Amino acid sequence: MERNSRCLKVFTCVLSFLLFSVIFISCSKSDKAKAVISVNGQEISDREFNSLLQRKLSDVKAQFKQFGREFDAQSEEGKDVILNIKKRLSEDMVQRLLILDAAEKENMKVQDSEIEAQLKHVKESFGEGGFEEFKKKLGIDDDYVKNDLAKQMLIAKYVDNLFKDIKVEESEVEAYFKANSKKYDKPEMVRASHILLKTEEEAEKIRKRLKKGEDFSELAFNFSIDPSAKQNRGDLNYFPRGVMDKSFEDKVFSMSPGEISKPVD
């Protein structure tokens, strides 16, 4: 693959062809900020929305860096990305508020003991000191976290109750999919890891070590000249066609899961 006008050798390790993304959102403290989304008395403030937007943009910038690119918010591509993020966030927040409103109208409640148990689980998941750092970064306190957890748990309880008695036959699922297949069309994606080296001689030495069973991620961490390897250990995550250098891309999409390629120019 060519990068910075130099010819570099790349190893690729195909891991999987499936991608599923789950996003967990936690809002920052709104105080008495102006509401930008309001549904039947339920509100999302401009501060909450902008905080969520900035967190999503941080994720996007990190993804661009994985592909050796810088995210430019002023470019046409950058503006489109931001517009799509805002649209998706707005839709997600409206849905959240609608469910909360419906749950309250059904007089559904979450017990304090349930909230405390969930809060304990959250603190444990962050590890020692991690939870306090998380709160400090977002400018929130325990009361805010409890309130947000209560809303999330209420949403989950309402949805579980809504669908508990619904049964769908497999034939119905197949018929729906056939009628709406275009909605689920996604570009082919692959997850690959690489080790960037300057010369073919270096590449062959590393390849021999891989063939002997040495750990790919450790070798990437120790020998790859890609600066991001110190964080991602060579893992490029999932990407579709048209993103990477063509020779690299052609090789990756022709490989089998777990296969280690020969050096790629």
Side-chain angles (χ1 to χ4, degrees), residues 140-156:
I140 59 179
D141 53 25
D142 274 4
D143 288 338
Y144 180 82
V145 175
K146 287 180 182 179
N147 182 57
D148 195 59
L149 285 174
K151 290 179 179 179
Q152 293 181 47
M153 294 170 73
L154 186 58
I155 289 172

Side-chain angles (χ1 to χ4, degrees), residues 1 241 243-252 264-265:
M1 174 168 44
R241 292 183 183 274
V243 174
M244 299 293 188
D245 179 88
K246 193 172 188 309
S247 60
F248 176 81
E249 176 186 288
D250 289 343
K251 171 57 68 175
V252 168
V264 179
D265 289 332

Side-chain angles (χ1 to χ4, degrees), residues 32-164:
K32 294 183 179 180
K34 180 181 177 182
V36 292
I37 301 175
S38 180
V39 178
N40 297 336
Q42 304 281 352
E43 296 181 344
I44 297 292
S45 73
D46 56 352
R47 182 177 175 181
E48 287 175 325
F49 187 87
N50 287 328
S51 177
L52 289 169
L53 176 61
Q54 292 307 313
R55 290 181 65 189
K56 291 298 298 176
L57 286 177
S58 294
D59 292 340
V60 169
K61 290 176 182 178
Q63 291 170 4
F64 267 67
K65 283 186 177 180
Q66 284 188 326
F67 297 141
R69 302 174 60 195
E70 290 294 328
F71 178 72
D72 182 4
Q74 300 304 314
S75 67
E76 288 302 315
E77 180 186 29
K79 291 177 181 178
D80 286 341
V81 169
I82 294 173
L83 184 64
N84 287 331
I85 291 175
K86 287 182 176 180
K87 181 180 178 181
R88 180 63 183 271
L89 278 179
S90 296
E91 291 172 349
D92 289 346
M93 293 298 98
V94 168
Q95 186 178 58
R96 173 184 167 113
L97 296 182
L98 284 169
I99 295 174
L100 282 172
D101 183 60
E104 290 184 2
K105 288 179 177 177
E106 292 286 334
N107 293 316
M108 299 184 74
K109 305 289 184 182
V110 177
Q111 301 300 317
D112 289 343
S113 58
E114 296 177 282
I115 299 171
E116 290 294 340
Q118 185 63 22
L119 179 61
K120 181 180 178 182
H121 175 72
V122 169
K123 288 181 177 180
E124 290 174 349
S125 68
F126 273 94
E128 185 177 354
F131 184 65
E132 294 303 318
E133 182 64 25
F134 171 77
K135 291 191 298 180
K136 182 179 179 181
K137 184 177 180 179
L138 293 183
I140 59 179
D141 53 25
D142 274 4
D143 288 338
Y144 180 82
V145 175
K146 287 180 182 179
N147 182 57
D148 195 59
L149 285 174
K151 290 179 179 179
Q152 293 181 47
M153 294 170 73
L154 186 58
I155 289 172
K157 184 173 287 191
Y158 179 83
V159 172
D160 287 345
N161 185 67
L162 185 66
F163 292 105
K164 66 179 181 179

Side-chain angles (χ1 to χ4, degrees), residues 2 5 26-27 29 45 49 91 118 140-141 152 159 172 174 183 212 233:
E2 185 175 344
S5 299
S26 178
C27 301
K29 201 169 184 178
S45 73
F49 187 87
E91 291 172 349
Q118 185 63 22
I140 59 179
D141 53 25
Q152 293 181 47
V159 172
E172 294 178 285
E174 291 179 357
K183 292 182 179 179
K212 291 179 180 179
R233 293 179 176 266

